[in-house]
Structure formats: structure tokens, C-alpha cells
Amino acid sequence: MQIRNFSIIAHIDHGKSTLSDRLLMRAGAITEREFKEQILDDMDLERERGITIKASAVTVFHEHTPAGSTKAEKFMLNFIDTPGHVDFHYEVQKALQACEGAILVVDSTQGVQAQTVANAYAAVDVGLEIIPVINKIDLPGARPEVVAEEIEQVLGFPAEDAILVSAKTGEGIDELIEKLCDILPPPRGLPDAPTRALIFDSIYDDYRGVITYVRVVDGELRKGQKIRFMGTDKQYQITDLGKLMPRPKQVERIGTGEVGFIVAAIKDLHDVRIGDTVTDLANPATEALPGYKPSQQMVYCDFYPSGKTQYDELRDAMDRLSLNDSSFSFEPESNDALGFGFRCGFLGLLHMEIIQERLEREFNIQMIQTAPTVTYEVKQTDGSVFRIDSPSELPEPTTVEEIREPFILMNLILPADSVGNLMKLCEDRRGTYKKTEYIGATRVMLQYELPLAEVIYDFYDRLKSATKGYGTMDFDFIGFRHGDLVKMDILVNGDKVDALSVIVHRDHAEARGRKLLVRLKEEIDRHLFEIPLQAAIGGKIIARETIKSVGKNVTAKCYGGDVTRKRKLLEKQKEGKKRMKRVGSVDIPQEAFMAILESDD
Amino acid sequence: MTLVQLGIPRSLDLRDLPRAEIPGLYVHIPFCFHKCHYCDFYSITRQTEERMTRFIDLMLREAELWRDLRVKPKTIFFGGGTPSLLPLEQMRRLIEGLRNRFDFSQLNEFTVEANPATVSLEYCQMLREAGVDRLSFGAQSFNPSELSTLERHHNPDDVPRSVEIAHRARFTRLNVDLIYAIPGQDLASWSQSLERAIALNTPHLSCYGLTYEPNTPIAVKRRLGLLQPAEESLELQMLHHTRDCLAQIGKPAYEISNYATFGEECRHNLLYWNGSSYVALGPSASSHVHGTRWKNRPHLGEWEASITAGERPAVDIETLTPLQRAGELAMLQLRLSAGLNFDAFSTQTGCDARTIFADQLQRLSNLQMIEIDERGFRLTNKGLNVADAVASEFLAPSE
């Protein structure tokens, strides 16, 4: 039996999930009704957002007569779904490394987009055979020839190789399956060598513990086999082996080149490291497979319980959530204003939003989320280097030799007439221009190196508005770089408020400080006395504002019937103050602490 | 946990209330010719003789419903609405009826609010003979265009005429109400109104900064941008000008908005500001009896139905905790120029103000919002401008 392992990669909304399901249906693995329900995306949240979060691996069988042959053969097609968003690069790479080929899907109405490029490069990087597919050719606005040329121009795949399909109607699917069987290389592995299987995904199941997805490279896995994870050096016995077809089906063995899952009474998702190699305990391989770069948390924010939610409930919910998402982290944190909560790290902004929504939706958690910040690397004068993800962790300026911030390489694909706007935006955000490439006559690919901190706030919104929604972006982390960064403190009525400190670029500090103070001035009520607001670097004041004292606040009439009403009114005002944080003698509302972290320029 | 805290409506059991004497009686007459655009007191404009006759019947029945309380009025106040709108015979019948139902032996002040446009000598004489000894006229302004902004339907000259009539009816205790910070009013115009009021030489004046009560026509107009409220700074200028002016002529402020010759203060209103007890009759009127506050059913029809059914019309009954009472008393007494007296406060509440308010006193005197001496504390001129913010410091947060 022939085996083909492949992924489907695409820009978001270019029809990857629909194409996956159409392939399953054509192979007889799902019914027409199931096709309509998009069965590969198993979380509600994913379906609502039109994105896939966890990679799944599905096995189907297909009868095919290879080109140049007259005899039909049975093909095992293993396809490994990948997430479709910029934050999940690492997950995409994990999935790709388990394949020999990839279907690159491009929407025939939208053409090549930023993630098309990023995903195609990622697939080329791991040496995959790529089949370009132009999807949605049933739509009235489809321009398959133009898109085929874009694919050739930008990615270098010959235009005539692109397969035209409509995942929705099924048109072109047969040709695609034939190409899968004919063009993609079979897995190359050594059936007789000691077992080596690559872990490319894992999920947590309440009843069975961790379910580990593997691609067997050499040898085989058997039910009952004693195994060892080479990286973590943990030992288990396989209690169950299975494949998704797409429903879970138990199997006795998973052979060389095949894909499936292991159940082995593993209780903690963190015990399974993605990219690790599974080998036989008794007859181990000498060398592990090349692993993955571990996923990096680049974006941080705090979650604080609010409303009816207590701290413990929030902690329990995050514990539960981390059972099936090992890529986010959390540590206890306390804040002057918001009390006890957690500092959380994420792969990116979307990842952050997904976690937040899942906490709220699946666990009924009410919480306050602070705006995101990035991780900084600090080099001290004694030569030591460490990372911080909160301004409060920054040591005394005298002991800091330099502060480094994460940089990304940003690919933007835009209508040509918005290039000027985007260049301006990138320059304002401290970007370094790399290159411009034309895609057809009307679109441009623009490349910039940018500090991540300048991207995480509202860059995407700015891009969308500057390009009337047509611009797309994708970026990749390229390393920590020195920045002229300083910690800016905020003083309210002369008292430094730690929760309001931010790390900013020196050249932007004054403008940012002024903006922060204006926002604070809006959020803090007038008091009985004048309140100076100051932004300072070290001891130096760089911006100031003043909140004037209350001018007039006196009720003219207070007779018999007014007493209760007036008392209640004043009590209510007082009640409002109780939820504020008193710093010195100033009551600062929670909103002020949120506003401080927002960029509104 | 009390029923009030649990949010369960409760009925008023008079046996729960302390048996001490109640020195105040307020009577709410909810009838007006026309609803003034700034007024949020309950009143209705359309009424027939029959309805007013029935109203007096019911008012006297309500008085009977409260008989178990030891109401022994030292002060009576007829407010509204426009009490003087009651036909002469009905007014006489109301006063006599109340005299028959309550013990008037301690009475030493009896005020009736009157509309300067409608009082007659005959009416004033009747009131005087019936025992009323104080009249309060709503003058508001002597500037016709300001009166029309307020939708007051009287002529500036009605006020001196009414005062003259009152004098002829042997009234000496008179009050004139004025409003300042009317949209369009400047300091000069306010001074003129104030001078004209001073010229009437009444022993008592009330001067109120215009308040935009929610859901009044004037507040709606402001929201829609149809009128421009006075600048805060101008309003404060007017307040301090008024205080200076009236202090100079021997009528100093004794409360935020009230001015009087020594001894001519409104004793009834002082009951409110000193946390004393009073019972109120009539729709929407509020009572306070030794820490329990309630309100009568707010609409005439509902109130009538309650009384007709022989039920006391009390709603929103609330019994204050000792600390709430203490806070409320501080809030009220801060309105008085005399301020809060430590000894009287201890006697009344059982709490030492210097102890329970130690933080507030320290903070507010540092900010020069209050002045403290061995007798008590009171607002400074600076504190007066922000009296509500200062008062709120003394209240416990709501449950």
C-alpha cells in the first residue's frame, strides 16, 4: 500500500477547511451532511472565527491507478491540518515536518496574500513537494489565470501546474487527488530500524489523559509496546493506538511512514514535548529526530478576576485550559489597582484573544484583561542577560547595560495605491525598510523589520483601514535587538504608581507620556484638591498635566423629602470610589489602569 | 440583616417606632396652576372644587391614621404645590381639622407657602386667624425674562403687593424665595433681584442656585442644548455675593441657601437639618421618625386609594443603622453655618464625632474645607463651594 502524507496550507479564509472536508468526502470518509458541518474544526470557537487552532491528522484510503500503470492501487492518504493564523507559525511548522507534501490553497478572488507567502516558504524550508491549488473558482469574481500568474511570479511555481478547484462544488477535486497520489513522494523510512516517531501534536482528553499525535519515521509502534520519549526521557506503555478516520479508530500498529495517535496514561500535557522523538524502550534508536524550535511566548498581558469571579476560579480555569494548550503560560501577579491576578504569556495576539474567549465562554470567567506588552531582554553591567515581561522587573538603570526588544520581519501585501500610507505607518513604528516587490500590476509586497512592541497594539487595524481591508500581513520573529529603551514612570500627585510604568523608546517617550497623561486626566475624577500628573524618566519629568480641583458641588435645596435621596446619591458616589485604587490621597479608577496600556494614536 | 437590606418591601408598624414626641408636621398640597419648569415636587395642575374638597377629607383621615404616633407639633409647614391654591373654606377646614386631631399646645411656628400672584387680604386674614404666623412667597426673580425662563407666571410687582397684603393681615414672619444662576442671568441682574428682595425687608430670605433636577423640563432643555446653564464660577460668585450682601444687612446665612435676622430662622426647616422627627401628610411627602424614614405614595390617586382603604400610605420604609444616622446627621448639619456640635452629636447619636470621623476631620481640615474647634466643625468658605463632596466623606458606602 502506498502512503502519502500532506498538509493543506493557505491564507486565512481561502477555503482550507472546506477543501479538507471535501477531500474526506470524496474518499468516502464523511457524508454530505458531515461535509456541511466542517468536521475537522472541532471547537465552536474555531468555527466561529473561521480558523483552526489545533492540528489534526486524518487518515483516509483511496483507490488510484498511478500514472503509467493500468492497475489500481490502494493509497493511504494522511492529512495533517494546520492552523491558519500568523500566531501559529510554530504549529504550522510542526505539522509540515510530519509531511512529504503540501497543498497550497489560494483563493481565486483574492490572490496571493501574506500568509500564502509565509506558509509556502515554510513548506519549502522543510523540503516539501508543493501542489498549488486555486480555490473558489465557482465564484463570480474568480480570476484563476491572474492568480496562477501571481503564484508563479511571487512563489515560483509554474502557472500551468496550478489545479483549479471549487471545494464547495467539488469541481477539480478528482484531479487534485490524482496529483496527490502521483506527484507527492512516498515517505522514506527504514521499516527495520529501531522505532523513531515524531510527536507533532498533543491534546488532553478528560478520560484518557494526553493523546499524542505522531508520525512514525522508522520502525513501527505497537499496542502494548514500552516506549521512551528521547527528549524528556520519560517512559510509558502504549495502552491504545489509533487513527482518525476521521473518527478515532483503534489499530494494533502504526507502520513506517504512517500517522496516528498514542494513548499511554500520560496525565500532564506538559510531559509531552512537541518535536520530541518516541523510541522503543528495549531497542532504542541511537539518535533522535531533528526536533522543533520550542514555541516562544512573545506577548504578555495580565488577567484579573472581576465581577463575580474569584481569584481561585480564574486560576482553576487557567489550569484546566493549559491542559490542552501548552503554549500559554501564567504566573501569579498582583497589581496596585487590580489586586491579585495572573501574568500570562502567549504566542501572539490572536492566541491571547482565543485564550481570553475560551476562559469567558467555557469557564464563565469574568475578568479584566490588560493591554498586551512584549518580552524584553536585559543585559546587566555584570554581563548577565535575562528576560522580563513587565516594566516592574526592570532593574535600576545604573545596573543595566542595554535593553533589547523583540524584532520581527513583516511581510505586507497591499494594493499599490496604499504603499505610501503603509510606509509612513512602518516608519512611525520604527521600522526598517527591506524591500518592495510587485505582485501583478496592482499589488505590492512590502517588507519591513519592526519592533514587535510597535505591532502588537493596533498595527493590524491600521493596516486594514489604510488598505480598505485589502492589506494582509504576516510576520516572523527574527531576534532581540538593542533598542534605546527607557522605563517611563507615572507620578500621580507626586506618588509613583508602579502599575502605570511602561517601557518605551526614548524618542517616543515624551509624546507617549503626554498622551498617557491626557488619558489619565480623562479617567481620574476631579478631587477636592488639584492633582499634578507627571511622566518621568529616572528623576527627570518629561511631561505634565493637572487635574483641577472640584469647582462647584453643592446642592441648593435639602429639605425633608430630599434627605434620603441626597444621602443615597452621595453614598452611591462613595460606593463608586470603593472600587477605585487609592494612591496617596487620589482615587484612581480601574479604567485608568487599562487606558494607560492602550495606544490610541 | 434587616428587611431593608434584603430588599423585601415591608409595611410600617408604628409599634416599632420609639415613643418620643414628634415635633414637626409637614402637609403637602399637590395642586398648582401651572407646573414651573424647574420644579420636581409632586403636583398636578388640573383640579376641581370637588377633588380639592375630597382631598381635604382624605388629608384629615390620613391625620387620623398617624394618631398612634405622638405627633405634638412645634412647627407646621404647608408646602406644595401651591397651598394657597386651596379655596379659603377648604384651607380653614384643613387647619381646624388638624387642630382637632393633633395637640397644638406646643406650636410656635406655622408656615404656609403662597403664590405672590394670587394671595388676597381676605385669605391672609383667614390664615392668620387660623393660627398661621409665617408666610413664604416664591418670588424667584424680579426680572421678567428670567421669570419666563423659569416659566413662573407672576409679575415682579406681585411680590411687593403680596408682602404688603401680608403685613396688613398682621404677618411679620415672612420669607421670600429667590433663584440665582438662571440661564442668561449675570451678576448685575442677580444683584438687582437681590436688592429688590432686600428692600421688602422680610426677616427671612432663601436664595437657591438653580438646580436641574432630572426629568424636569428645564433639565431636558439643557440636555437638548436649548439653554445654556450658568458657568460654575459665575454661580459661585453669585453665592458669595449673596452671603456678603445679606451678612452686611444683619441677615447672615444660617444654612447654605437660607438667610435670616437672628431668631427668625425657619424652625421647621431646622428640624430637617438637625435630624429631628417629623410626620408628613399628603402624596409623596416624606417623614422621619427617630431614624426611620419613609415616603407617602407619590401619586394622588394611589395615595387617595390607600387612605380610602384605611391604610397608611407609607412606602420606601428604611431604618437607618446608628452609623448611617450619624453620617446622615453630619451630612445635614454641615449645611448649617453653625455646623456640627460635638456634644449635641454625641447626645443624639451616641457616637463621638471626633472618633468616628477622625480620618475625615484630619483630611478635610488639611484641605481647608472645614474648620474645627472645641465645640464642633463647619464648612469654610472654600468648603462651601464643594459642600456635597465634603458631606459625602462622612457617609458610609451603601450596602
Side-chain angles (χ1 to χ4, degrees):
Chain A
M1 185 167 54
Q2 299 259 24
I3 300 173
R4 297 291 182 268
N5 294 312
F6 63 96
S7 276
I8 304 178
I9 51 180
H11 190 78
I12 189 163
D13 285 341
H14 279 198
K16 182 166 63 83
S17 297
T18 313
L19 183 62
S20 308
D21 291 353
R22 174 60 73 178
L23 288 171
L24 289 185
M25 195 184 120
R26 183 54 52 96
I30 59 169
T31 62
E32 180 85 32
R33 188 182 60 79
E34 288 168 324
F35 168 70
K36 289 196 181 113
E37 291 171 356
Q38 284 215 353
I39 85 152
L40 276 194
D41 288 353
D42 56 358
M43 281 191 270
D44 282 354
L45 193 64
E46 292 180 12
R47 194 156 316 135
E48 279 172 31
R49 296 182 152 235
I51 52 171
T52 310
I53 300 165
K54 294 299 281 186
S56 328
V58 176
T59 300
V60 294
F61 294 98
H62 180 68
E63 291 275 332
H64 173 65
T65 310
S69 161
T70 51
K71 192 164 155 261
E73 280 185 54
K74 197 172 186 191
F75 279 73
M76 176 197 283
L77 304 179
N78 294 314
F79 67 100
I80 296 165
D81 204 16
T82 59
H85 189 275
V86 59
D87 282 354
F88 300 102
H89 265 322
Y90 291 107
E91 300 216 3
V92 172
Q93 280 169 356
K94 288 169 202 167
L96 294 180
Q97 282 187 36
C99 302
E100 282 79 41
I103 299 173
L104 177 67
V105 184
V106 184
D107 185 322
S108 63
T109 63
Q110 304 199 351
V112 172
Q113 296 293 350
Q115 285 160 248
T116 315
V117 178
N119 285 324
Y121 286 169
V124 170
D125 271 354
V126 294
L128 302 191
E129 185 69 35
I130 293 171
I131 302 175
V133 165
I134 297 174
N135 189 22
K136 306 194 191 177
I137 56 165
D138 57 308
L139 291 184
R143 305 166 292 129
E145 299 79 19
V146 176
V147 173
E149 268 173 41
E150 284 183 4
I151 292 173
E152 176 164 340
Q153 194 181 352
V154 180
L155 303 169
F157 306 118
E160 61 270 22
D161 285 359
I163 302 173
L164 307 188
V165 308
S166 165
K168 199 167 135 201
T169 65
E171 190 179 346
I173 297 299
D174 288 339
E175 189 192 348
L176 175 58
I177 294 186
E178 279 170 24
K179 282 270 171 57
L180 278 176
C181 299
D182 287 341
I183 293 180
L184 297 190
R188 289 174 298 270
L190 307 169
D192 301 324
T195 306
R196 289 201 299 176
L198 179 70
I199 300 176
F200 65 87
D201 198 7
S202 62
I203 60 165
Y204 184 81
D205 180 281
D206 280 343
Y207 301 102
R208 299 201 285 176
V210 178
I211 296 175
T212 308
Y213 288 90
V214 293
R215 154 72 194 268
V216 177
V217 176
D218 295 327
E220 62 171 15
L221 290 169
R222 294 174 315 278
K223 193 169 169 180
Q225 185 179 9
K226 289 192 170 141
I227 53 168
R228 183 162 72 87
F229 290 176
M230 296 179 77
T232 56
D233 203 24
K234 295 210 185 261
Q235 300 174 9
Y236 300 98
Q237 180 166 18
I238 297 176
T239 55
D240 253 321
L241 278 180
K243 292 181 177 227
L244 296 174
M245 305 187 75
R247 278 171 204 77
K249 183 176 180 233
Q250 291 199 11
V251 295
E252 290 302 311
R253 61 180 284 278
I254 301 175
T256 309
E258 294 180 31
V259 172
F261 62 82
I262 299 172
V263 179
I266 306 171
K267 291 192 181 60
D268 188 345
L269 196 64
H270 297 88
D271 289 338
V272 178
R273 210 167 70 197
I274 308 299
D276 204 350
T277 303
V278 183
T279 193
D280 188 84
L281 184 65
N283 179 23
T286 48
E287 209 174 313
L289 296 162
Y292 305 117
K293 288 188 278 184
S295 46
Q296 292 190 34
Q297 283 143 10
M298 280 296 150
V299 173
Y300 284 80
C301 80
D302 295 352
F303 289 161
Y304 292 94
S306 73
K308 292 194 179 80
T309 299
Q310 300 296 309
Y311 176 83
D312 290 347
E313 292 171 58
L314 177 59
R315 189 194 53 214
D316 292 346
M318 292 206 297
D319 271 335
R320 298 264 305 148
L321 206 52
S322 74
L323 284 178
N324 56 37
D325 182 349
S326 55
S327 56
F328 100 97
S329 65
F330 59 99
E331 280 175 22
E333 171 87 350
S334 66
N335 175 303
D336 288 349
L338 305 170
F340 289 95
F342 297 93
R343 184 87 179 145
C344 308
F346 308 94
L347 300 177
L349 282 183
L350 180 80
H351 189 207
M352 177 178 84
E353 273 178 44
I354 287 169
I355 297 288
Q356 179 213 334
E357 276 199 42
R358 291 188 61 190
L359 285 171
E360 288 173 354
R361 191 182 301 206
E362 294 171 28
F363 297 92
N364 280 322
I365 292 291
Q366 289 177 291
M367 62 183 188
I368 289 172
Q369 177 195 347
T370 62
T373 58
V374 301
T375 298
Y376 294 94
E377 214 170 69
V378 179
K379 185 177 181 196
Q380 289 195 280
T381 44
D382 64 5
S384 62
V385 174
F386 58 95
R387 290 197 183 167
I388 60 165
D389 54 54
S390 158
S392 60
E393 295 167 22
L394 197 65
E396 284 302 302
T398 50
T399 69
V400 175
E401 189 173 309
E402 69 169 348
I403 304 176
R404 301 170 189 152
E405 61 180 326
F407 267 71
I408 53 153
L409 181 66
M410 170 78 80
N411 277 313
L412 297 160
I413 292 186
L414 322 157
D417 61 4
S418 55
V419 167
N421 289 339
L422 259 296
M423 290 182 82
K424 167 95 172 57
L425 177 63
C426 290
E427 304 290 332
D428 288 347
R429 302 292 173 94
R430 300 190 278 127
T432 307
Y433 172 80
K434 299 308 283 183
K435 66 177 179 189
T436 311
E437 274 175 26
Y438 266 82
I439 302 175
T442 56
R443 294 199 306 153
V444 167
M445 185 165 90
L446 193 61
Q447 207 174 56
Y448 266 88
E449 287 177 0
L450 284 156
L452 179 61
E454 300 283 348
V455 174
I456 58 169
Y457 294 120
D458 59 349
F459 193 93
Y460 186 68
D461 295 339
R462 288 303 190 91
L463 167 70
K464 285 292 173 194
S465 66
T467 60
K468 301 187 180 68
Y470 290 111
T472 56
M473 66 184 248
D474 192 276
F475 59 79
D476 207 0
F477 174 66
I478 51 176
F480 282 89
R481 291 185 185 174
H482 170 77
D484 191 3
L485 301 170
V486 289
K487 182 175 158 209
M488 180 169 72
D489 295 317
I490 303 295
L491 289 78
V492 175
N493 203 26
D495 293 319
K496 189 170 99 182
V497 185
D498 281 338
L500 296 179
S501 296
V502 283
I503 292 175
V504 290
H505 192 267
R506 191 184 300 277
D507 293 347
H508 293 192
E510 200 179 315
R512 182 87 188 271
R514 194 161 293 134
K515 239 172 246 160
L516 284 182
L517 297 187
V518 169
R519 287 300 306 269
L520 268 188
K521 190 174 167 178
E522 288 164 6
E523 296 292 346
I524 299 176
D525 290 337
R526 288 159 79 178
H527 280 51
L528 287 172
F529 45 90
E530 198 173 273
I531 305 168
L533 303 174
Q534 296 160 308
I537 295 172
K540 187 170 167 253
I541 305 298
I542 56 163
R544 75 175 73 228
E545 284 283 342
T546 304
I547 299 173
K548 286 203 293 186
S549 59
V550 179
K552 190 214 105 183
N553 181 9
V554 47
T555 304
K557 289 192 178 188
C558 185
Y559 296 106
D562 305 313
V563 177
T564 302
R565 195 166 52 146
K566 180 168 150 118
R567 173 170 48 79
K568 295 215 155 141
L569 188 74
L570 296 181
E571 278 175 352
K572 215 170 132 192
Q573 288 168 5
K574 184 130 180 176
E575 181 70 16
K577 277 193 183 171
K578 226 170 57 173
R579 284 195 298 270
M580 297 188 190
K581 175 66 192 174
R582 178 164 279 194
V583 175
S585 45
V586 180
D587 295 308
I588 306 180
Q590 287 185 348
E591 292 74 23
F593 291 90
M594 314 302 291
I596 207 77
L597 297 157
E598 287 162 14
S599 142
D600 58 348
D601 51 357
Chain B
M1 184 161 289
T2 68
L3 290 171
V4 175
Q5 284 167 325
L6 288 169
I8 298 169
R10 62 176 246 220
S11 60
L12 188 64
D13 189 339
L14 301 186
R15 287 167 304 186
D16 293 344
L17 298 174
R19 303 295 301 153
E21 283 176 9
I22 296 166
L25 178 64
Y26 175 77
V27 176
H28 191 73
I29 313 291
F31 303 118
C32 282
F33 269 133
H34 166 78
K35 184 103 183 148
C36 302
H37 275 199
Y38 56 89
C39 176
D40 73 333
F41 287 105
Y42 176 67
S43 66
I44 56 170
T45 50
R46 255 174 267 142
Q47 58 267 293
T48 57
E49 286 269 342
E50 295 74 33
R51 184 132 204 211
M52 288 199 274
T53 303
R54 188 157 66 100
F55 176 77
I56 301 305
D57 294 341
L58 291 171
M59 192 66 109
L60 295 175
R61 278 178 66 185
E62 186 187 2
E64 282 161 20
L65 294 173
W66 297 110
R67 253 190 185 158
D68 289 346
L69 289 173
R70 295 180 63 204
V71 182
K72 200 168 177 188
K74 291 179 175 162
T75 66
I76 299 176
F77 199 104
F78 279 21
T82 311
S84 61
L85 210 61
L86 282 181
L88 188 143
E89 274 316 309
Q90 298 303 335
M91 179 60 103
R92 195 204 312 265
R93 191 161 72 88
L94 174 60
I95 296 171
E96 288 314 311
L98 293 174
R99 188 186 297 279
N100 293 334
R101 286 162 179 80
F102 296 116
D103 176 355
F104 276 22
S105 63
Q106 303 293 311
L107 190 65
N108 70 4
E109 182 186 279
F110 190 160
T111 306
V112 172
E113 285 182 339
N115 183 338
T118 56
V119 292
S120 65
L121 180 61
E122 188 194 10
Y123 201 93
C124 286
Q125 283 170 335
M126 176 277 293
L127 289 176
R128 192 73 190 88
E129 279 157 22
V132 176
D133 66 348
R134 189 171 179 275
L135 293 179
S136 175
F137 292 112
Q140 320 312 2
S141 167
F142 287 89
N143 178 315
S145 88
E146 289 165 13
L147 285 173
S148 106
T149 301
L150 299 175
E151 293 267 338
R152 284 289 296 192
H153 286 210
H154 71 257
N155 187 309
D157 294 331
D158 288 338
V159 181
R161 189 182 56 81
S162 301
V163 169
E164 169 63 24
I165 288 171
H167 283 148
R168 277 167 48 205
R170 291 180 301 108
F171 277 99
T172 56
R173 301 195 66 199
L174 297 177
N175 169 55
V176 172
D177 276 353
L178 293 173
I179 291 178
Y180 63 88
I182 301 166
Q185 188 180 46
D186 60 14
L187 188 59
S189 156
W190 165 238
S191 281
Q192 281 166 18
S193 278
L194 184 59
E195 290 302 325
R196 286 199 61 185
I198 288 170
L200 300 172
N201 202 23
T202 57
H204 194 284
L205 284 152
S206 299
C207 303
Y208 304 107
L210 178 62
T211 305
Y212 295 84
E213 298 290 355
N215 303 320
T216 55
I218 203 164
V220 172
K221 284 185 192 168
R222 178 173 82 156
R223 201 174 65 234
L224 297 177
L226 299 176
L227 52 81
Q228 186 65 39
E231 292 283 336
E232 279 189 358
S233 57
L234 175 63
E235 182 170 350
L236 290 175
Q237 242 182 316
M238 290 173 170
L239 169 65
H240 290 282
H241 171 76
T242 309
R243 290 172 80 87
D244 294 346
C245 240
L246 292 174
Q248 269 173 25
I249 60 160
K251 289 170 187 158
Y254 68 96
E255 193 260 359
I256 286 175
S257 304
N258 286 280
Y259 304 83
T261 314
F262 181 73
E264 286 293 333
E265 299 86 358
C266 176
R267 291 160 205 159
H268 183 82
N269 287 341
L270 281 169
L271 293 182
Y272 297 144
W273 300 318
N274 283 315
S276 305
S277 296
Y278 47 92
V279 161
L281 308 180
S284 87
S286 294
S287 302
H288 169 235
V289 175
H290 308 299
T292 296
R293 292 189 177 275
W294 68 86
K295 191 178 170 178
N296 277 359
R297 290 190 177 279
H299 295 285
L300 183 58
E302 292 176 5
W303 175 84
E304 286 173 342
S306 280
I307 308 289
T308 307
E311 287 163 6
R312 282 183 289 267
V315 291
D316 296 346
I317 302 148
E318 182 182 25
T319 301
L320 303 181
T321 65
L323 268 182
Q324 273 179 317
R325 267 191 96 177
E328 185 186 89
L329 186 60
M331 168 189 99
L332 291 168
Q333 292 193 325
L334 268 174
R335 298 187 65 86
L336 298 171
S337 301
L340 180 149
N341 180 288
F342 290 135
D343 292 342
F345 187 86
S346 307
T347 310
Q348 201 171 336
T349 65
C351 300
D352 181 1
R354 275 168 291 211
T355 311
I356 62 169
F357 299 135
D359 287 349
Q360 290 96 320
L361 295 183
Q362 167 99 51
R363 199 150 22 90
L364 293 167
S365 69
N366 285 346
L367 291 168
Q368 296 165 326
M369 294 292 161
I370 56 171
E371 54 178 38
I372 309 175
D373 56 28
E374 64 285 350
R375 285 172 299 136
F377 64 91
R378 58 209 69 84
L379 291 174
T380 59
N381 265 344
K382 192 176 161 193
L384 179 70
N385 296 343
V386 291
D388 287 2
V390 174
S392 73
E393 296 283 326
F394 294 90
L395 294 175
S398 56
E399 300 293 331

